[in-house]
Each structure stands twice: as C-alpha cells, then as structure tokens.
C-alpha cells in the first residue's frame, strides 16, 4: 500500500500557501491535510493530524517559526519540520537544528529543489546549500540554558519588545524619544549582553527568555 505523507503548510500569505501546497503534492504520496495562517492555528492542526511533514514559514503574525517548531516537536515528536522562509536565517541554523528541524529552504528555491528536499527528508536525509555546507564544522555543542539570566534595563527591554513587533530603528527612536544613533548604541549593548552579532539572534534569545514570558503574561 502506498504511504500517505500527511503534510501541513503554515504561511500567512494565502497565495504562497496554495502554491506551496501545489508544489508539495507533486511529490508521490504527499497529501496536504491542512493550511494554517499563524502559529496558533498551526499548533491546533498539528494536535489534530500528527503530520509527517510540516512546511513552516519563519515569520508569522503571532510567533516566530522557531517557537512554533519547538512547540510542534513537543506535540508531534516524529514530525519532520521544514523551515520555508523568505528571509535569511543563516544565523539561526544551529538553533533550528537543536530544536530538531529536518530542513531549511528559501522560498526562492525552484520547485524541483523543494520537491527534492522533501524526497530526501522522507528518506531520512536532508539538503544544505553548498555555501553553507562549506562553512560547516561538526562539533559537540552544549545546548544553551533556556533560562539563562541577562540583566537588561527597562529601555533595552522596551527596544527588544518593539523589535519583536517589527519596528524599524527609526520607529523605535521616535517611540522612545531618542536619536537613531542612540538606538544603535542600545542595540550594541544588547548584542554584547546576549553574546550575539545580529538583530535576529538578539530577538530569538529575547523571545526564549523568562523576561519575554513575563511580559506576555502581563498582557
């Protein structure tokens, strides 16, 4: 009997979601059983269907793809998760691998590349872009503590909260009544405290910290 690969697509752009569904269903055995436009809806579908494959956009309206992936793995440990994104997440590869994703691919990839990735994953392999492969080093890495404490000032917490919401540096400067240069200086201090080198890494560490959890509980 031919195996059916139950698949869920998560993307907040309906046209992209439908196109992704069409591309995936050209792979023999793949059946898209649900489409979700945000993280919460995705988790509900995962709970219902226990999918074999989850194609997950990184930037969703309510959560980051890494947060959804982490929760999805708890609800459906055997699901293969592919981060399917239109933004550069190269800085996040280590974290996404630690979460347990099976693949990471750009939305700019051709249909054949996407379908080949799915076939590889279903055969318990994955695909990595050659430029990233050439930079890789296989090492034993200790998983960072989820609850590591970082001492942030109220202004720094406010800036990070605005970044999570998608604010630009200029918008943050207007909101807290400082110059853009001051915002840049704040961010340098935040990067140093989190021991990161980019905005997306800082946001990821912030949303996974107790500080962000406490803020969400207060809302």
């Amino acid at each position: 009997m031919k195996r059916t690969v139950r698949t869920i697509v998560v993307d907040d752009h309906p046209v992209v979601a439908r196109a992704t569904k069409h591309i995936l269903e050209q792979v023999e055995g793949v059946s898209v059983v649900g489409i979700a436009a945000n993280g919460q809806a995705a988790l509900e579908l995962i709970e219902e269907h226990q999918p074999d494959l989850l194609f997950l956009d990184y930037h969703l309206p309510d959560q980051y793809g890494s947060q959804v992936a982490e929760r999805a793995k708890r609800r459906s440990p055997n699901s293969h998760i592919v981060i399917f994104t239109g933004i550069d997440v190269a800085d996040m590869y280590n974290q996404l691998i630690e979460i347990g994703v099976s693949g990471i691919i750009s939305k700019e990839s051709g249909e054949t590349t996407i379908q080949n990735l799915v076939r590889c994953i279903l055969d318990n392999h994955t695909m990595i872009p050659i430029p990233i492969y050439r930079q890789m080093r296989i090492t034993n890495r200790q998983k960072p503590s989820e609850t590591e404490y970082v001492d942030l000032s109220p202004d720094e917490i406010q800036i990070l909260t605005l970044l999570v919401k998608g604010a630009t540096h200029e918008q943050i400067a207007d909101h807290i009544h400082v110059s853009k240069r001051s915002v840049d200086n704040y961010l340098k201090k935040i990067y140093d405290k989190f021991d990161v080198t980019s905005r997306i890494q800082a946001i990821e560490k912030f949303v996974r910290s107790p500080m962000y959890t406490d803020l969400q509980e207060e809302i």
Side-chain angles (χ1 to χ4, degrees), residues 50-61:
Q50 296 289 297
D52 302 293
L53 181 65
L54 177 67
F55 248 66
L56 177 62
D57 189 12
Y58 182 82
H59 204 287
L60 297 167

Side-chain angles (χ1 to χ4, degrees), residues 60-120:
L60 297 167
D62 58 340
Q63 300 177 55
Y64 283 97
S66 55
Q67 294 172 282
V68 178
E70 199 164 17
R71 291 163 185 163
K73 273 296 182 182
R74 289 199 291 267
R75 299 185 185 204
S76 183
N78 295 323
S79 295
H80 285 295
I81 300 174
V82 175
I83 300 295
F84 188 47
T85 179
I87 64 173
D88 183 6
V89 294
D91 288 342
M92 302 309 304
Y93 263 64
N94 284 334
Q95 181 188 328
L96 292 170
I97 291 169
E98 285 167 355
I99 288 171
V101 305
S102 298
I104 304 164
I105 191 168
S106 169
K107 289 183 179 180
E108 295 180 1
S109 302
E111 290 187 17
T112 301
T113 301
I114 296 168
Q115 292 162 356
N116 284 342
L117 171 63
V118 172
R119 294 185 182 100
C120 281

Side-chain angles (χ1 to χ4, degrees), residues 40 126 159 176:
Q40 184 56 43
T126 193
I159 288 170
I176 65 174

Side-chain angles (χ1 to χ4, degrees), residues 151-209:
D151 185 17
L152 297 178
S153 70
D155 284 340
E156 290 167 341
I157 291 173
Q158 185 177 21
I159 288 170
L160 282 165
T161 302
L162 290 168
L163 284 178
V164 170
K165 294 178 180 178
T168 65
H169 291 196
E170 291 81 2
Q171 290 168 333
I172 293 171
D174 289 341
H175 188 84
I176 65 174
H177 309 296
V178 299
S179 67
K180 180 179 176 295
R181 185 185 182 90
S182 294
V183 172
D184 293 338
N185 289 334
Y186 271 119
L187 287 172
K188 288 177 184 176
K189 292 179 182 177
I190 291 169
Y191 292 172
D192 287 342
K193 289 182 178 182
F194 276 133
D195 191 24
V196 299
T197 57
S198 72
R199 168 178 171 147
I200 193 169
Q201 287 177 317
I203 290 172
E204 280 288 344
K205 282 211 170 184
F206 179 58
V207 299
R208 292 161 66 87
S209 72

